[in-house]
Amino acid sequence: MNDIRREHLNHRQTLVHDADALLADIKALLRDVADDARPASNETHLALSARLQQLTAQLDALRKTSRKRVSGWAQTTDHYVHDHPWRSIAAAASIAALAAAAGAMTAPMIARRRHTAEDSDLRL
């Protein structure tokens, strides 16, 4: 379970970092536009500043809701696994068995393709 939480934290940190980078880029772009528009009008600068604050508030709201959703999903999964450990183990084993079966079926096909590709290279 710690691996899932660690992975969740890594994904969350990545999303937060990406959102921060996006916000920094938007701020820089709006500052550049505001600097270019400064001689034209002070109203433009005020409008862009207001829009920047609005976008920042929306991004913060999205962060909060996404954190709540992901945290809720993680807690729900954690509770289910603790309440039904054998079902969880069976589900994980089933998924692993399906992945192994798919790998076992595709491995010979890949090997045949490589083998025929090597034969065709020799014919040239």
Side-chain angles (χ1 to χ4, degrees), residues 11-50:
H11 288 301
R12 188 172 83 187
Q13 289 173 349
T14 302
L15 286 173
V16 168
H17 177 67
D18 290 346
D20 288 339
L22 178 62
L23 184 59
D25 290 344
I26 290 171
K27 284 181 179 180
L29 177 64
L30 288 176
R31 280 188 203 119
D32 290 344
V33 170
D35 289 342
D36 291 343
R38 220 170 256 188
S41 171
N42 192 26
E43 292 176 7
T44 306
H45 178 67
L46 293 174
L48 289 174
S49 295

Side-chain angles (χ1 to χ4, degrees), residues 2-103:
N2 287 335
D3 292 337
I4 293 172
R5 286 186 181 154
R6 190 176 315 121
E7 187 175 325
H8 165 66
L9 289 174
N10 289 339
H11 288 301
R12 188 172 83 187
Q13 289 173 349
T14 302
L15 286 173
V16 168
H17 177 67
D18 290 346
D20 288 339
L22 178 62
L23 184 59
D25 290 344
I26 290 171
K27 284 181 179 180
L29 177 64
L30 288 176
R31 280 188 203 119
D32 290 344
V33 170
D35 289 342
D36 291 343
R38 220 170 256 188
S41 171
N42 192 26
E43 292 176 7
T44 306
H45 178 67
L46 293 174
L48 289 174
S49 295
R51 181 67 177 145
L52 177 61
Q53 289 176 354
Q54 182 183 11
L55 288 173
T56 304
Q58 286 177 348
L59 182 61
D60 288 340
L62 286 173
R63 280 185 189 163
K64 287 178 185 176
T65 56
S66 64
R67 282 181 189 158
K68 286 180 184 177
R69 283 183 183 173
V70 171
S71 178
W73 292 339
Q75 287 176 357
T76 301
T77 304
D78 188 42
H79 290 303
Y80 181 82
V81 169
H82 285 294
D83 292 343
H84 308 285
W86 290 110
R87 285 185 185 175
S88 302
I89 292 170
S94 300
I95 291 171
L98 287 173

Side-chain angles (χ1 to χ4, degrees), residues 117-124:
E118 290 173 2
D119 287 345
S120 65
D121 289 341
L122 293 175
R123 290 181 196 162
L124 294 175

